[in-house]
Amino acid sequence: MEDSSKLLYRLDSRNKITLLISCAPILLLLVFPTSFMLFDGGAKLAMGAVLAAILLYNLFEKLNFRYIEIYEDKIIIAKLFTKIKIAKDDVASCHFKSFPFMPYKVDIITKKEGHKRKFYSIDGLNFNESKRICWFVLLSDSEHKF
């Protein structure tokens, strides 16, 4: 290991059932753009293609997750092709939420760089996984984040 930082928490995989439940609304919504593309040409075809592309991108973002490692000083989120490293000092907020009958989702938001904030989301979690991720992300030596 290249760093001497202590690993606090690692989540390797998500439950397949909760992941399927979190992807189900997008899969159901894909019926509408597909019906636009099948039945008429012109503007409906273009609108269906755009809607399908947006929904497929959202579906890919939900599925694009390999693991998360939370160290004392950094967070590593591994996606399919990339690894994202976030310094713990750069984290502005971390919270988890769930809609009725849906799995939990964790959102990690970094401090502003110029006029932008970076936003990282992990879907398809259960309550304990989401609570632990937020706890270890916000855990630090200084108490200013709580």
Side-chain angles (χ1 to χ4, degrees):
M1 192 171 202
E2 62 201 31
D3 292 323
S4 62
S5 181
K6 181 182 173 190
L7 178 66
L8 299 175
Y9 184 74
R10 179 180 168 102
L11 178 68
D12 285 320
S13 64
R14 300 171 287 178
N15 186 335
K16 306 261 188 282
I17 294 172
T18 58
L19 188 59
L20 178 67
I21 292 170
S22 71
C23 292
I26 293 175
L27 293 172
L28 289 173
L29 284 175
L30 273 171
V31 170
F32 296 113
T34 318
S35 65
F36 283 158
M37 290 189 287
L38 290 177
F39 292 114
D40 204 7
K44 284 187 180 180
L45 178 67
M47 187 171 63
V50 169
L51 283 174
I54 291 170
L55 290 172
L56 288 173
Y57 176 78
N58 282 335
L59 183 64
F60 178 73
E61 282 298 312
K62 283 185 182 287
L63 297 174
N64 188 14
F65 174 80
R66 287 192 351 220
Y67 64 86
I68 182 171
E69 291 178 336
I70 303 170
Y71 293 91
E72 291 176 329
D73 60 344
K74 67 182 177 237
I75 302 158
I76 298 175
I77 301 172
K79 298 204 174 219
L80 194 58
F81 301 114
T82 61
K83 278 188 183 177
I84 301 165
K85 292 184 182 181
I86 308 166
K88 275 207 171 173
D89 294 335
D90 292 341
V91 174
S93 149
C94 180
H95 58 275
F96 60 95
K97 59 186 170 188
S98 175
F99 295 108
F101 308 108
M102 294 297 290
Y104 283 85
K105 169 185 177 178
V106 171
D107 296 325
I108 300 171
I109 303 168
T110 61
K111 294 178 182 173
K112 282 187 179 181
E113 291 179 14
H115 295 290
K116 295 184 195 177
R117 290 185 186 263
K118 292 188 179 175
F119 180 83
Y120 305 98
S121 183
I122 303 169
D123 288 307
L125 302 170
N126 65 32
F127 176 73
N128 287 330
E129 291 168 342
S130 57
K131 181 177 69 171
R132 284 187 188 123
I133 289 172
C134 284
W135 172 255
F136 286 116
V137 164
L138 295 175
L139 183 69
S140 73
D141 295 332
S142 61
E143 297 293 325
H144 70 277
K145 292 184 185 177
F146 290 107

